[in-house]
Amino acid sequence: VTSLMRAGTCFGTCFERHTLGARSAMAMFSGAARASGKFVRRAAASPQAPVWAVAARASSSGAALQLPFLPPFVEELGNVTIAPIETAKSMHPAFYIDEQYVQVERERIFGTHWFAAAHTAELSTPGDVKVIEVGGTSIIMTCDKDSKIHAFYNVCRHRGARVANKDEKGCKQLVCPYHWWAYRLDGSLKSTPPAATPKERKDLLGLQRVPGLETFAGIVFLNQAPNSVPLLESLGDLPKKLARYDMVNLEHAGKKEYTINGDWKLIAENFVDFYHINAVHPELSKFSRVDDHQPYQGPGQYVGFVTTPLTDSGGPGDSHHFNTFKGLYPVESNAGLFFQIFPNISVTVYPHSVYTLMTFPTQHPGVTKEVLSLLMAPGAKKEEDTEEEYKEKCQKLFDFVANVNDEDVVAIENLQNGLRNARARGLHGEFLPKYDWPIHRFQNMVLQGIRGSTVNEDNMPVLCGAFQRQVTDANEVGRAHAGAPVLVEASDQGAPRASGTLARERP
């Protein structure tokens, strides 16, 4: 595998942007920024190791960044999924099981695309330290004395030992346990006891920064590629959809960690699969019914839909238990929003709370670390509730959410086992367009992502929903009252007005 990876593919980028931290990562971590380009076939180094290249412009530094070898079967098996949903088939089981593919995916997706790493609430106080593992790469995130967030590779500059092994609060410095090299929380080298190291050399021996770090919706995103496209640019119209939700000041109310015997992509696909709710989630289906789900999708690296209206059912999520986000449109105050932000974070936004699923592939195919977090809207506590009553309500809501996720884990692990059988028989899954369009979109983001591109919107259906139009109308009314020019939501795209339908025609 190593020799195949070294064969590599040359991949350039035409994006120029200042990223936080160093301009380049160590060679073992380097990857290419995303850029669209045409795949061309070059002469292979050997019949067993054909080399694929993307014709794209070089980065601003002029250096060609190396990506690992892309096995030909990725192209061959992926083509039936990168097609309009009416004729497409689901991704081949090999994409969830084969080691050769999984290794390439770790490098090409988590090595070159923005991915979710933490909530800003976890790194909000000086001295906060968080350690994550992403497919064999270990990363330290810190909040320094100036409340600035940093991200570094978990590698001591002396001999390469791991510097940190667990999350911490109130940390003053990072100390390597091997020889006690000490680093400040901004990554700079502080001391090398008992030796005295000149300052000019210390300045060169700080922890290696992850090249890209940006925040959105209270989430810290990282990118291991130098000169990467800005995060917001990749998200399309999603920031506009979340504009009235105060995601920055959310309050943590609970967290649960899982080790799931299932591929990370299956977890994302399960999240956007509302078709399974009746079969897997009997309690959830009481207030989030399958037929109440509508598309809430526009351009960008995400999958989005909405369930409306929400139905009070005597459960801990009923509307009367908490205050809602301030400033929502009336239609938003009775809706649940669901977004899978590519690649690895699932975000559910209710009028009073948010819960997220953050997934990290491990070094082992078919095994994923997942973190479930519940966060409450600012001011969610009812005035008449005591602190203890509010905490009890939050705990009941978290228990409900965790139970739903526990049910999903069983379904995901069963699916992973089934795909092993399907792999042996070369079977592709089938799509039902009415229900499976979110999975089709996500799988296309994956397959285009490993090719160094983004989802091809021309292959995606135009999605039309009544909720989208109601939000657009409310936005137009609000801007008219303010005397500002009316802006039309980008995701409308002149699409037909039928509620909850999929349309193939594009304007």
Side-chain angles (χ1 to χ4, degrees):
V1 173
T2 301
S3 64
L4 293 176
M5 289 171 63
R6 287 174 179 168
T9 56
C10 298
F11 188 81
T13 175
C14 59
F15 299 112
E16 296 185 10
R17 183 178 67 86
H18 173 71
T19 55
L20 297 178
R23 281 281 181 180
S24 61
M26 293 181 292
M28 64 182 292
F29 298 111
S30 66
R34 273 176 293 170
S36 60
K38 181 180 179 182
F39 279 82
V40 295
R41 189 71 182 268
R42 297 195 310 180
S46 70
Q48 292 78 28
V51 179
W52 291 82
V54 179
R57 282 181 282 175
S59 66
S60 58
S61 65
L65 298 170
Q66 298 297 312
L67 281 176
F69 167 74
L70 184 64
F73 80 81
V74 174
E75 291 282 320
E76 295 163 6
L77 297 183
N79 285 338
V80 298
T81 303
I82 301 179
I85 191 170
E86 294 85 359
T87 59
K89 291 184 180 295
S90 183
M91 279 174 60
H92 193 277
F95 291 106
Y96 305 89
I97 294 167
D98 286 14
E99 170 64 32
Q100 188 182 23
Y101 166 75
V102 170
Q103 178 61 31
V104 171
E105 181 183 79
R106 292 178 194 137
E107 298 295 332
R108 285 177 171 259
I109 290 182
F110 287 89
T112 70
H113 291 258
W114 290 101
F115 65 90
H119 289 282
T120 55
E122 299 176 278
L123 295 161
S124 60
T125 304
D128 288 347
V129 175
K130 186 172 180 62
V131 180
I132 64 168
E133 314 289 333
V134 186
T137 298
S138 184
I139 295 173
I140 307 170
M141 287 173 287
T142 66
C143 180
D144 70 11
K145 64 180 181 179
D146 298 320
S147 297
K148 184 177 180 180
I149 298 175
H150 304 268
F152 314 99
Y153 293 107
N154 194 359
V155 179
C156 181
R157 294 298 302 277
H158 179 216
R159 294 290 303 281
R162 286 174 64 97
V163 176
N165 289 295
K166 62 180 182 179
D167 299 351
E168 292 190 40
K169 295 288 185 182
C171 180
K172 301 300 182 184
Q173 60 183 2
L174 300 170
V175 180
C176 177
Y178 197 16
H179 297 98
W180 289 352
W181 278 36
Y183 302 87
R184 299 178 183 88
L185 297 186
D186 64 1
S188 60
L189 180 61
K190 181 179 180 181
S191 63
T192 58
T197 302
K199 182 182 183 302
E200 58 269 19
R201 191 174 183 205
K202 283 184 182 178
D203 291 344
L204 301 174
L205 294 176
L207 294 174
Q208 182 73 51
R209 290 184 180 274
V210 176
L213 187 159
E214 294 185 14
T215 62
F216 167 70
I219 303 163
V220 180
F221 288 85
L222 302 179
N223 197 315
Q224 299 188 75
N227 307 313
S228 53
V229 60
L231 173 64
L232 291 185
E233 185 176 315
S234 72
L235 295 178
D237 71 343
L238 181 58
K240 186 184 297 185
K241 287 179 164 61
L242 290 174
R244 287 165 296 283
Y245 296 83
D246 183 0
M247 304 285 282
V248 176
N249 296 303
L250 296 171
E251 304 168 1
H252 254 283
K255 183 171 78 170
K256 184 175 181 179
E257 298 183 358
Y258 296 79
T259 299
I260 300 175
N261 291 316
D263 186 86
W264 70 273
K265 298 186 295 298
L266 293 183
I267 298 170
E269 291 170 18
N270 179 81
F271 174 78
V272 300
D273 177 8
F274 51 83
Y275 184 34
H276 78 278
I277 290 177
N278 290 346
V280 177
H281 305 300
E283 292 301 315
L284 178 62
S285 65
K286 292 179 181 178
F287 73 93
S288 183
R289 298 172 299 199
V290 171
D291 290 337
D292 291 334
H293 289 73
Q294 302 177 26
Y296 195 30
Q297 184 67 58
Q301 289 290 91
Y302 75 94
V303 179
F305 57 91
V306 59
T307 180
T308 183
L310 294 174
T311 306
D312 284 350
S313 58
D318 284 359
S319 59
H320 61 85
H321 289 307
F322 305 100
N323 294 323
T324 65
F325 284 96
K326 294 180 174 62
L328 298 183
Y329 294 148
V331 64
E332 294 171 322
S333 297
N334 193 29
L337 313 184
F338 304 86
F339 300 110
Q340 178 69 36
I341 303 177
F342 185 76
N344 70 320
I345 185 164
S346 311
V347 182
T348 298
V349 184
Y350 287 122
H352 51 57
S353 60
V354 173
Y355 82 83
T356 66
L357 299 170
M358 206 173 294
T359 57
F360 302 98
T362 68
Q363 298 184 65
H364 308 289
V367 179
T368 305
K369 296 288 187 180
E370 179 188 73
V371 181
L372 162 67
S373 298
L374 174 68
L375 306 103
M376 303 305 297
K381 177 181 170 295
K382 291 280 190 177
E383 186 176 351
E384 61 269 21
D385 287 343
T386 65
E387 284 296 330
E388 287 303 315
E389 289 171 334
Y390 176 63
K391 288 180 180 179
E392 183 179 357
K393 285 183 176 181
C394 291
Q395 185 60 51
K396 288 181 178 178
L397 180 58
F398 178 77
D399 291 343
F400 175 83
V401 169
N403 180 67
V404 171
N405 199 55
D406 293 346
E407 294 169 342
D408 278 328
V409 170
V410 174
I412 290 163
E413 293 184 340
N414 178 61
L415 180 54
Q416 181 76 29
N417 287 330
L419 288 175
R420 291 191 178 95
N421 276 330
R423 172 69 175 99
R425 289 154 183 80
L427 297 176
H428 283 271
E430 302 289 337
F431 287 124
L432 294 178
K434 178 180 178 180
Y435 298 112
D436 292 332
W437 65 264
I439 297 174
H440 175 252
R441 183 180 180 88
F442 177 78
Q443 292 184 354
N444 271 258
M445 286 193 288
V446 170
L447 292 171
Q448 295 290 3
I450 62 176
R451 298 178 178 192
S453 187
T454 56
V455 64
N456 181 0
E457 298 289 353
D458 290 334
N459 265 355
M460 299 296 104
V462 176
L463 300 166
C464 324
F467 180 83
Q468 172 69 65
R469 295 196 300 275
Q470 289 173 311
V471 171
T472 300
D473 292 345
N475 180 56
E476 292 173 354
V477 169
R479 294 186 64 83
H481 286 170
V486 173
L487 294 180
V488 178
E489 292 279 349
S491 52
D492 269 356
Q493 301 184 68
R497 287 292 201 182
S499 173
T501 61
L502 282 72
R504 175 55 52 192
E505 297 80 9
R506 282 191 168 273

